[in-house]
Amino acid sequence: MNRRQTLGVLGAGAVGLLGIGRAQESERPSEGGPPDPEKWTLAFEDTFDGGTLDTDNWEIGWGWGRNTSISEARIVDENVTVRDGRLVLSGGHDGSEVSTGGVNTKNKVTFGPGSYLEAKIRFADREGFHNAFWSKPNSEAWPPEIDVVEQWHDEDSPAPTRQSHHHLHYPTSAEPGDDDTHENIGVRYEPGDDITENFHVYGAEWRSDHVTHYVDRERVRRWTDETMLESMANGAPFYMMVNLHINSIGSADMDEEWTEVMEVEWVRLWRTTLSQTDRRYFWARSSGEEPAKFAFRTDGGAIELDTEDPSVDYWVSQDGTTAGGTAPRASSLPGFWFEGEVVDFAYEGPIEVFIDNEHRDPDSLVDDTTAGPPLM
């Protein structure tokens, strides 16, 4: 029985397999990093030391394009440069034409619950400039949104160069894309110096039971609202954006030349490595003579393959929310550690499924309201 039609292309949650970017699991950077670093694995890192933008990981623009509906600013290639080991985003204007810089990882580097994203940034200082390191669903359904950090400068901002902003946006209906129920929660933070003159490390930890903002590894605020967390999980996977917006908050002086820039030394994405007592376990096998294909999706993410054998025909999406493979008929097969619940399942061929060593009816795991996770 084929409960799903095999998809011809990977879904957004399956962009890349097992290991992304240039990071190696043995690497442990000397600065930044999540709390309890022994529980995390570095999955992606860009230190911008190649002299040009790495287009395997980044595209120039916001994820949806080069323009927005809230200002006249347009992202252009010329305002995105990599030099001296830094990503440099600049703003400019020619009469009424406003240009700016920004990059995104849509369809390239995505993530879900069980992730920690961080960047080392120095912000541009000018009224009307809106610096941001943030993320939203790869599907473009908004809200939800995680703003790791923002810095803006308008005439009403108290001490704008000495404070960062950290926000979450979500629909109270928990349905991604429902902006009629949009809720915005956030906090300001003062690190004690001018953040347009000095670099700081800004991070956000996304787990199934909380989202926490950090500056220089100091906790800013932990958010635990259940509706917010459900909305975030429903919107996963997310992608990252780093951009300098202009005239979205405040107004820049169009009679002056702009020379200020936003600089980024590095961007990283970590994934949790949970202890076995904190994780659940999924495994499957063919119940017939022929192998069975399968794929499953979780709401907690942090999926990890329980083997290093390269001959095993299994895969895990780079955001850690989806996994699957081809299972033979065997009594002893590796499985997958994961967090949360299995929320969708697809399969092709005769199959038996076990979660935490409990035999489960595969059809009971299928969500018929979705396209399903991709079979590969």
Side-chain angles (χ1 to χ4, degrees):
M1 178 175 59
N2 183 357
R3 291 282 294 167
R4 300 253 190 235
Q5 293 297 317
T6 302
L7 302 183
V9 295
L10 294 181
V15 180
L17 306 176
L18 287 180
I20 52 181
R22 289 181 253 160
Q24 301 296 322
E25 292 191 4
S26 60
E27 292 179 353
R28 185 64 63 181
S30 60
E31 62 178 344
D36 302 321
E38 70 278 359
K39 296 181 179 180
W40 298 85
T41 297
L42 183 61
F44 166 82
E45 179 181 42
D46 196 336
T47 56
F48 305 107
D49 55 4
T52 59
L53 188 70
D54 185 349
T55 55
D56 286 340
N57 300 318
W58 304 97
E59 291 285 348
I60 294 177
W62 290 283
W64 60 86
R66 298 294 185 102
N67 300 291
T68 73
S69 60
I70 59 175
S71 83
E72 70 277 22
R74 175 177 174 80
I75 292 179
V76 298
D77 292 5
E78 292 77 12
N79 290 46
V80 179
T81 59
V82 175
R83 61 175 184 263
D84 300 325
R86 294 173 180 173
L87 171 67
V88 181
L89 307 177
S90 61
H93 66 93
D94 180 11
S96 61
E97 299 293 326
V98 178
S99 61
T100 190
V103 295
N104 72 88
T105 68
K106 185 177 179 180
N107 294 328
K108 297 175 181 286
V109 180
T110 60
F111 59 96
S115 300
Y116 186 91
L117 58 158
E118 61 177 347
K120 186 175 181 181
I121 304 172
R122 185 185 68 80
F123 297 116
D125 174 20
R126 174 170 285 273
E127 184 172 328
F129 278 28
H130 179 188
N131 307 258
F133 172 40
W134 61 297
S135 62
K136 63 174 293 194
N138 201 74
S139 66
E140 294 298 342
W142 182 94
E145 169 185 326
I146 297 175
D147 297 321
V148 181
V149 63
E150 297 174 280
Q151 191 276 338
W152 60 72
H153 187 174
D154 63 25
E155 60 183 6
D156 298 323
S157 297
T161 66
R162 304 185 70 85
Q163 62 185 6
S164 54
H165 299 261
H166 311 268
H167 283 249
L168 302 173
H169 300 259
Y170 65 97
T172 57
S173 68
E175 294 295 328
D178 180 13
D179 60 358
D180 289 336
T181 64
H182 171 223
E183 183 77 14
N184 175 10
I185 55 177
V187 64
R188 293 184 301 187
Y189 180 79
E190 297 183 4
D193 63 358
D194 190 326
I195 60 177
T196 65
E197 292 183 355
N198 302 304
F199 283 86
H200 289 275
V201 177
Y202 303 94
E205 178 186 10
W206 180 9
R207 300 294 294 269
S208 61
D209 61 351
H210 69 262
V211 175
T212 304
H213 286 98
Y214 293 87
V215 176
D216 298 326
R217 302 190 74 187
E218 294 291 329
R219 183 192 294 184
V220 173
R221 179 71 62 86
R222 173 165 290 185
W223 313 90
T224 59
D225 181 88
E226 292 184 1
T227 301
M228 178 274 294
L229 293 168
E230 181 183 2
S231 300
M232 295 294 177
N234 289 344
F238 282 32
Y239 68 95
M240 293 182 282
M241 282 180 280
V242 187
N243 61 257
L244 176 62
H245 207 163
I246 298 173
N247 294 339
S248 58
I249 299 178
S251 299
D253 189 340
M254 303 293 285
D255 293 327
E256 295 182 0
E257 182 180 358
W258 304 337
T259 59
E260 300 80 6
V261 297
M262 177 182 180
E263 294 183 292
V264 184
E265 284 202 357
W266 47 258
V267 177
R268 300 189 189 121
L269 175 66
W270 302 77
R271 286 175 52 186
T272 56
T273 304
L274 301 173
S275 67
Q276 293 186 9
T277 57
D278 294 327
R279 293 185 288 184
R280 305 187 66 191
Y281 199 76
F282 176 102
W283 71 280
R285 67 185 178 195
S286 172
S287 59
E289 296 299 325
E290 297 298 322
K293 288 186 176 182
F294 69 93
F296 66 98
R297 180 176 293 124
T298 70
D299 60 5
I303 300 176
E304 294 182 4
L305 181 59
D306 188 26
T307 183
E308 297 181 358
D309 184 352
S311 67
V312 175
D313 190 13
Y314 286 172
W315 55 268
V316 177
S317 67
Q318 70 175 30
D319 61 12
T321 64
T322 310
T326 301
R329 184 176 185 177
S331 59
S332 179
L333 290 170
F336 304 84
W337 294 103
F338 70 96
E339 185 177 3
E341 300 289 340
V342 173
V343 294
D344 204 0
F345 185 68
Y347 67 97
E348 192 175 75
I351 195 167
E352 289 184 296
V353 175
F354 300 83
I355 298 178
D356 296 332
N357 290 322
E358 178 185 349
H359 190 272
R360 300 289 294 271
D361 176 3
D363 290 345
S364 70
L365 302 174
V366 174
D367 181 355
D368 288 316
T369 66
T370 74
L375 296 173
M376 296 178 55

